[in-house]
Amino acid sequence: MSIHGISAPAAAKWVRAEVENISLGCAKGGADEAESWRALLYLPEHRTSRFLCTRIALFQAFSGANVVIFFAGSIFEQCGLGAEASNIAIVATGVANLTGVVVAAWFSDTLGRRPLLIGSFASMSLCALSIALGSVLNISLLMVLGCVLFMFVFNTGAGPLPYLIYSEVFAGRVRAKGAALCGALNWAANILITLTFLPLATSLGTAPTFAIYALVNAVAVAFTWEHMFETKGRSLQEIERALAPTECPVE
């Protein structure tokens, strides 16, 4: 008798080997930490998931979202808004933040991850351009709306969805370390972009700086369109078999 072209003895042998590997892994506990990191970083079977997730993590950071969050007050004051008006605009940005997360939670399982990511990065690019244009034309309303809408569209896709994608795309045996790697890259990039904003804005000006963020988001759109696949409606096992299959010996 055969199962999907694999003889029953061969299938039984493979199942026993898998059970033994799982039991061995449980018994060793954290003894194979170095091996699992080596598997994540160097094994070809994790190349696609590593490539996708690390790039998404970097695009999320370099989109400029944390610049808007951390420097919103300075940006609004540059618009000519007083302290009270700036505070109101900051509150509006926070409300947009929360509203975007609700939208992402609602539509991620209906529209899918890929369309939300593409729409989010594309909209952030337009919002960054509107902030740059508002700075050039000295139109405070355009800059304020650009910042508020930037945070809304960021949280409809590029903000929360990468963390969901890490948990779906990385194979189970390296999932925790893959998510940790992407989180570390993301925050390292966030620190870099936060430290470089003021020097860039001082030397180049606000408009060219946000034009750079617009360009980064446009590149993120092209990357997501070309490389990101849809995970909606697919089980973790299906995704893992597609990206990091475990070979079953055939006799």
Side-chain angles (χ1 to χ4, degrees):
M1 185 182 72
S2 65
I3 303 172
H4 298 298
I6 304 172
S7 67
K13 179 181 177 182
W14 176 72
V15 170
R16 283 195 300 271
E18 288 295 298
V19 171
E20 288 174 4
N21 286 336
I22 293 170
S23 301
L24 182 61
C26 292
K28 286 184 176 180
D32 282 339
E33 287 292 306
E35 284 299 321
S36 55
W37 276 112
R38 192 175 293 112
L40 170 66
L41 296 174
Y42 299 111
L43 283 187
E45 65 189 78
H46 303 303
R47 183 181 295 122
T48 301
S49 56
R50 188 174 62 239
F51 173 77
L52 285 173
C53 292
T54 54
R55 270 59 175 185
I56 290 294
L58 292 174
F59 279 127
Q60 182 199 48
F62 289 125
S63 67
N66 274 355
V67 166
V68 176
I69 293 172
F70 297 146
F71 298 100
S74 301
I75 295 170
F76 295 148
E77 286 178 11
Q78 181 190 332
C79 299
L81 299 180
E84 185 176 350
S86 293
N87 288 335
I88 293 173
I90 291 171
V91 171
T93 303
V95 172
N97 237 326
L98 176 61
T99 307
V101 173
V102 173
V103 170
W106 186 268
F107 287 107
S108 61
D109 281 329
T110 53
L111 293 179
R113 286 72 153 143
R114 185 173 181 271
L116 284 177
L117 272 180
I118 292 172
S120 179
F121 281 124
S123 300
M124 283 193 292
S125 184
L126 293 176
C127 289
L129 285 176
S130 73
I131 296 170
L133 185 61
S135 178
V136 170
L137 301 178
N138 198 26
I139 303 175
S140 58
L141 180 61
L142 189 57
M143 293 185 71
V144 171
L145 286 177
C147 288
V148 172
L149 290 176
F150 190 105
M151 293 316 303
F152 171 74
V153 296
F154 172 74
N155 281 289
T156 59
L161 289 185
Y163 301 99
L164 175 61
I165 290 169
Y166 306 155
S167 67
E168 292 178 328
V169 171
F170 280 114
R173 49 196 175 275
V174 296
R175 184 168 294 135
K177 289 177 175 57
L181 172 65
C182 291
L185 279 175
N186 179 262
W187 279 106
N190 277 323
I191 292 171
L192 179 62
I193 198 170
T194 302
L195 291 176
T196 56
F197 171 69
L198 288 179
L200 280 174
T202 301
S203 59
L204 300 179
T206 300
T209 301
F210 274 93
I212 293 172
Y213 300 149
L215 177 61
V216 170
N217 283 299
V219 174
V221 171
F223 175 86
T224 307
W225 184 280
E226 179 68 23
H227 297 287
M228 189 64 206
F229 59 93
E230 184 55 67
T231 59
K232 180 194 74 171
R234 302 178 69 181
S235 69
L236 296 178
Q237 291 75 17
E238 289 175 324
I239 298 170
E240 182 168 344
R241 280 197 297 269
L243 293 178
T246 300
E247 296 296 328
C248 177
V250 179
E251 291 184 356

